[in-house]
Amino acid sequence: MTEDLRGLRALLEQVDSASLVDAMGRVHGHRADIVDLVSPDPSRVMFGPAVTVAFLPYRDDLPEKDLGFATVFYRAVGDAPEGKVVVLSSGGHPDVSHAGGTKLSRLQNHHVAGVLADGRLRDFSELAGYGFATWCRGQATHWGGDTVMPYAADIAVEIGGVCVVPGDYVYADSGGAVVIPAGSVRRVLEEAVRIEAEDKHSAEVIRAEDPVRLRSGEQTASET
């Protein structure tokens, strides 16, 4: 792990998805939050630079239609998979399976930080036992290869209305996921730390409120 990544992880210990979303709102003007995600282990926090795998609706006449998950995965992670977050687009079908425990064992083998899927995944019990974090749209039992297929790697993809570019940093916890541009990741994390401090201060001020004065109108909440 590089010194820079260690520094980012130290900042991460002081924030969560909510403060990161607020920080993104201060630093950037585009949407960055992805909600309605589930995990086989919701206690796991995911963080790392994104690599992308784009799924498309299955067609039997497309060039390279038979590449398969392994080829596209290795194209995405390249020669340095450790610590990456593999982002799987849905191909317009978020309710079907995009992978399962067997295919995703590659992430375990190559020490990937996690997978963020805009579709369902199979084998939650198996995924929970791996060392990487998993966040997706839900659990599936039926194979999805007759509906979607992995088709391209290392391109910009859309996940839940958010644009994810290879190299973006992806954070996910039980509150949701946040996509942070690589060029401003430290600035956003530092801003999130400030927001956490502001919220803590606001909570202390609220604890000191005088209910009688607030009810009477002698004091307003904006004064506290």
Side-chain angles (χ1 to χ4, degrees):
M1 185 185 300
T2 66
E3 286 297 325
D4 189 55
L5 189 54
R6 286 193 186 93
L8 294 180
R9 291 191 181 279
L11 292 171
L12 279 175
E13 294 176 1
Q14 307 173 61
V15 303
D16 60 15
S17 56
S19 56
L20 284 170
V21 170
D22 289 348
M24 278 294 296
R26 293 183 181 184
V27 176
H28 292 281
H30 63 264
R31 181 180 168 184
D33 61 305
I34 303 168
V35 295
D36 297 328
L37 298 170
V38 301
S39 173
D41 185 353
S43 67
R44 289 193 184 182
V45 172
M46 183 170 68
F47 181 73
V51 295
T52 62
V53 173
F55 279 74
L56 290 177
Y58 177 77
R59 279 184 56 160
D60 63 8
D61 63 334
L62 288 183
E64 298 190 313
K65 67 177 178 62
D66 295 321
L67 283 178
F69 184 83
T71 297
V72 182
F73 166 77
Y74 286 118
R75 287 181 179 179
V77 299
D79 296 329
E82 185 172 357
K84 301 291 178 62
V85 171
V86 179
V87 177
L88 311 179
S89 71
S90 72
H93 293 275
D95 290 330
V96 304
S97 173
H98 284 60
T102 301
K103 288 181 180 178
L104 294 177
S105 67
R106 296 180 178 91
L107 280 68
Q108 176 80 355
N109 298 340
H110 296 282
H111 308 290
V112 171
V115 56
L116 172 64
D118 197 28
R120 293 177 178 267
L121 298 175
R122 300 172 72 183
D123 311 317
F124 265 32
S125 59
E126 190 173 353
L127 293 173
Y130 289 148
F132 57 85
T134 298
W135 292 93
C136 63
R137 293 300 181 188
Q139 184 169 194
T141 54
H142 181 71
W143 174 70
D146 55 351
T147 305
V148 292
M149 59 185 184
Y151 193 74
D154 261 350
I155 63 172
V157 296
E158 177 268 331
I159 306 292
V162 174
C163 179
V164 183
V165 176
D168 285 347
Y169 278 78
V170 178
Y171 175 96
D173 63 18
S174 59
V178 190
V179 180
I180 308 169
S184 55
V185 62
R186 180 170 291 278
R187 181 182 172 192
V188 169
L189 291 180
E190 290 173 347
E191 188 64 37
V193 171
R194 282 190 286 271
I195 290 170
E196 292 281 356
E198 292 168 7
D199 288 348
K200 182 179 179 180
H201 174 71
S202 295
E204 292 171 353
V205 171
I206 289 170
R207 280 196 295 272
E209 286 177 346
D210 185 338
V212 175
R213 294 187 66 203
L214 285 167
R215 281 196 295 268
S216 69
E218 295 178 26
Q219 181 184 29
T220 64
S222 62
E223 295 173 351
T224 61

